[in-house]
Amino acid sequence: MKPKNQSAETLSAEIAGLVGLSREQLQARWRELYRTEPPRKIGRDLLIRAIAYRLQENVYGGLKPATRRVLAKVAADASARRPIRVAPERTLKPGTVLLREWHGVQHQVTVLGSAIMFQKKQYKSLSEVAREITGSRWSGPRFFGLRSPVMENNHGTT
């Protein structure tokens, strides 16, 4: 494997050179990069693409866990022949203030880097705050109006 400080030009040249390798050389490169045997019936083009992807991943980093989860869900939906629905995840930036009126009382929470501030106390999630306010289990994003009931039931799609 190449070191992470490999230049873009070197990486580009290495990827371009893959087309000149024999199938046996490509399979050996796969074993080196993936530490497993290549699939037996993988075509040459896909083999080259997979090796190129892994080379780039080693230099630039891989997919974020959230992206991996979305792809896993799409793959599961596709294999089960369900409609594929992908909703963008809503992220709250630190400093965001959310207001919610509950039984005539207005409640305010502030989003911190990795916590939620409510009444001078830190909570791990909006759901914990919603439970504190209502005394029952709630989806925090739904309680604070970040998701409608329709969106939640349809996995974020309308």
Side-chain angles (χ1 to χ4, degrees):
M1 270 190 255
K2 299 290 181 193
K4 290 218 183 226
N5 62 2
Q6 179 180 17
S7 73
E9 296 82 24
T10 307
L11 175 64
S12 183
E14 186 173 4
I15 291 171
L18 292 175
V19 288
L21 298 179
S22 69
R23 183 162 183 81
E24 292 75 26
Q25 290 172 314
L26 288 170
Q27 290 173 332
R29 193 71 174 117
W30 174 289
R31 286 185 208 97
E32 179 186 334
L33 291 168
Y34 285 95
R35 301 195 190 306
T36 185
E37 288 297 315
R40 283 188 292 160
K41 295 188 178 187
I42 190 171
R44 179 180 170 80
D45 185 57
L46 187 54
L47 188 62
I48 290 171
R49 289 172 187 263
I51 292 168
Y53 176 83
R54 181 54 62 103
L55 290 169
Q56 292 174 75
E57 186 179 47
N58 288 342
V59 173
Y60 299 116
L63 297 174
K64 295 178 183 176
T67 303
R68 288 183 182 276
R69 284 191 298 274
V70 168
L71 291 173
K73 182 188 178 315
V74 167
D77 286 348
S79 68
R81 300 194 185 276
R82 291 186 298 256
I84 296 171
R85 297 181 175 145
V86 179
E89 238 180 75
R90 192 175 289 198
T91 56
L92 299 173
K93 295 182 180 177
T96 300
V97 175
L98 301 173
L99 300 173
R100 173 62 151 90
E101 187 173 317
W102 180 256
H103 294 304
V105 178
Q106 186 161 333
H107 300 278
Q108 176 179 321
V109 299
T110 304
V111 178
L112 306 175
S114 60
I116 306 294
M117 180 71 74
F118 174 64
Q119 294 181 341
K120 299 180 183 178
K121 186 176 173 190
Q122 288 190 19
Y123 293 83
K124 292 179 186 175
S125 69
L126 285 173
S127 296
E128 283 186 2
V129 175
R131 189 174 310 124
E132 181 74 23
I133 293 170
T134 65
S136 62
R137 290 173 102 42
W138 268 82
S139 159
R142 183 173 172 190
F143 180 79
F144 284 97
L146 301 175
R147 286 192 190 138
S148 69
V150 171
M151 284 182 73
E152 256 190 20
N153 292 336
N154 293 319
H155 308 291
T157 61
T158 54

